[in-house]
Amino acid sequence: MIQQPDPGQPYDVVETESGLQWTFVIRQRHLDQGQCPLPAQAVRRMRTVKVVHLHDGRAFPTVLLASLGKKLPKEHLRGVRWPQAQVIAGTRVTATLDRSRLLLFLTPLERPVFIARRQFLYEYDPRIIARELPATPTQDRVGTTSSLAVLVQETIRKLGYLDEEGHALLPMENLIGNVRGHHGSERYSSGAVRAAVNGLISSKRLTWRTGSCAADGILNYPARPGQRTIRLVCYTPFVLPNLKKEQRVVHLPSASSQHGVAGHLMRIDHLGKQASDAAQAAYTEAHRSAGLAGTHKLPKGHTYVRPHKRGGR
């Protein structure tokens, strides 16, 4: 297997005495089933929450859930009415939880972005978009639909490693094994799958990438120095737009009241910026003080925004 955390689970969880903050990405099941993903640390705190708000940075807050029941599942909050005209699968959400409110923040883009014929108004995660795309028939050289070609691409997209641009990758042997295992080895031979891959590579629908294999058998991408290299079949379901303008990061809880904002991570690598030494040191101290497990090092591509006051006069 290729080492990769599940991009659909809550991450960047920061817990303090006054509140909890985390980030997650909307999946289609969240929209269909009215769910909001929760980290384990949020379950106890959620029992005192009365209101859930969504702040889209452009308008007044939309009330998603007026009241909560006493019983909470361990992994998600039920009964959230997502505004599906604005929030679609792949949208990134930052959640802050205090003693009485769960606030959900969206980060507006400077202008709408179209990916795979979908319009995104807010910051998104290409990995989730790649996973959630519906299957698209592929035309072969003579213009007829090739079911095996579609199956090969869908297997890579559904089971492969996803990079931050939405590319999906699988080693050839894993691809063959999954295609034949899920659809019957008697239906497709190994040679037929290889031939389909070669045809898709010739037509530039698939490409080769290079990963590496560690001594314990774990595959890594990109390839790591000192490890045995291995070829990966790469499927690119869409091409990301080139965003030249900076994206705005806007949180708009209220125009008239002052409120505290918990310390949080902010992505800045897409702006061509790097975190300062002071921000790195502040994150390390906040992470250590909160008693969080794992590395205290600031995640690559992000900066740390210290706790501060917002709004009011």
Side-chain angles (χ1 to χ4, degrees), residues 33 68 73 85 107 109 191:
Q33 301 173 19
L68 305 177
T107 303
L109 303 175

Side-chain angles (χ1 to χ4, degrees), residues 67-290:
S67 62
L68 305 177
K70 294 182 179 180
K71 293 184 179 180
L72 289 168
K74 294 182 179 180
E75 297 180 351
H76 57 263
L77 171 67
R78 296 176 181 174
V80 178
R81 297 188 295 273
W82 293 106
Q84 297 193 31
Q86 299 169 285
V87 181
I88 60 179
T91 303
R92 183 178 284 113
V93 182
T94 298
T96 61
L97 175 63
D98 59 24
R99 292 181 176 85
S100 62
R101 299 181 302 170
L102 173 61
L103 304 179
L104 306 175
F105 297 97
L106 304 178
T107 303
L109 303 175
E110 276 292 331
R111 61 186 184 279
V113 167
F114 289 88
I115 303 174
R117 299 181 181 179
R118 298 179 178 185
Q119 184 184 47
F120 286 83
L121 303 175
Y122 306 99
E123 188 175 285
Y124 53 84
D125 188 329
R127 299 173 299 174
I128 298 299
I129 299 173
R131 281 281 198 258
E132 299 288 357
L133 283 176
T136 303
T138 299
Q139 303 296 317
D140 62 20
R141 294 180 179 178
V142 296
T144 59
T145 300
S146 169
S147 59
L148 181 53
V150 172
L151 179 57
V152 164
Q153 292 173 101
E154 288 301 291
T155 300
I156 299 172
R157 183 172 69 84
K158 289 293 187 181
L159 302 178
Y161 174 93
L162 297 171
D163 72 4
E164 292 188 355
E165 294 186 349
H167 301 112
L169 308 103
L170 264 182
M172 177 67 87
E173 295 304 321
N174 295 67
L175 174 58
I176 293 173
N178 280 289
V179 169
R180 301 187 71 210
H182 285 80
H183 301 277
S185 58
E186 63 280 348
R187 183 176 181 184
Y188 298 116
S189 66
S190 298
V193 178
R194 290 183 183 276
V197 171
N198 290 333
L200 289 167
I201 288 176
S202 296
S203 61
K204 298 183 180 180
R205 296 191 182 106
L206 298 179
T207 57
W208 291 110
R209 296 290 178 91
T210 301
S212 62
C213 185
D216 57 5
I218 297 295
L219 293 175
N220 295 295
Y221 179 81
R224 296 184 180 181
Q227 296 183 356
R228 175 174 60 87
T229 59
I230 187 169
R231 288 211 302 177
L232 303 171
V233 184
C234 176
Y235 174 42
T236 305
F238 53 79
V239 177
L240 291 179
N242 182 18
L243 299 178
K244 294 183 179 180
K245 294 184 179 181
E246 292 187 354
Q247 298 180 359
R248 291 183 298 152
V249 178
V250 181
H251 291 171
L252 187 60
S254 171
S256 60
S257 61
Q258 189 180 68
H259 63 282
V261 178
H264 61 277
L265 292 172
M266 180 182 294
R267 184 184 172 197
I268 58 174
D269 57 344
H270 65 291
L271 304 177
K273 298 180 180 179
Q274 295 182 343
S276 65
D277 292 341
Q280 295 182 44
Y283 175 81
T284 297
E285 178 59 28
H287 198 275
R288 182 182 294 112
S289 298

